[in-house]
């Protein structure tokens, strides 16, 4: 999508692996981050990034 509806209403996610390694690889690609890696109190480390089409991608891992 383009314009004001770019990425509207869409989200995707994946889990497992090393969040910090994934974050470093995605950062090198020049992606736009919506939420940097963070440890959540419920035992998840995660970050959010936008894909090239503007959709949010959630990358969590359980600690």
């Amino acid at each position: 999508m383009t314009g004001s509806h770019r990425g509207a209403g869409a989200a995707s996610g994946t889990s497992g692996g090393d969040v910090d390694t994934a974050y470093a690889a995605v950062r090198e690609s020049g992606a736009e981050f919506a939420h940097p890696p963070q440890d959540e109190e419920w035992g998840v480390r995660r970050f959010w990034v936008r894909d090239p089409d503007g959709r949010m991608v959630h990358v969590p891992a359980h600690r």
Side-chain angles (χ1 to χ4, degrees):
M1 285 188 173
T2 60
S4 63
H5 300 288
R6 182 174 179 253
S12 180
T14 185
S15 65
D18 179 2
V19 168
D20 294 308
T21 299
Y23 178 79
V26 174
R27 185 181 60 218
E28 283 190 27
S29 77
E32 174 190 350
F33 289 93
H35 189 281
Q38 180 173 331
D39 292 325
E40 303 293 357
E41 62 186 52
W42 53 89
V44 170
R45 182 161 178 79
R46 66 183 180 159
F47 68 88
W48 290 83
V49 63
R50 289 193 182 276
D51 78 2
D53 292 322
R55 289 182 293 266
M56 297 297 295
V57 177
H58 179 226
V59 182
H62 294 277
R63 293 182 277 138

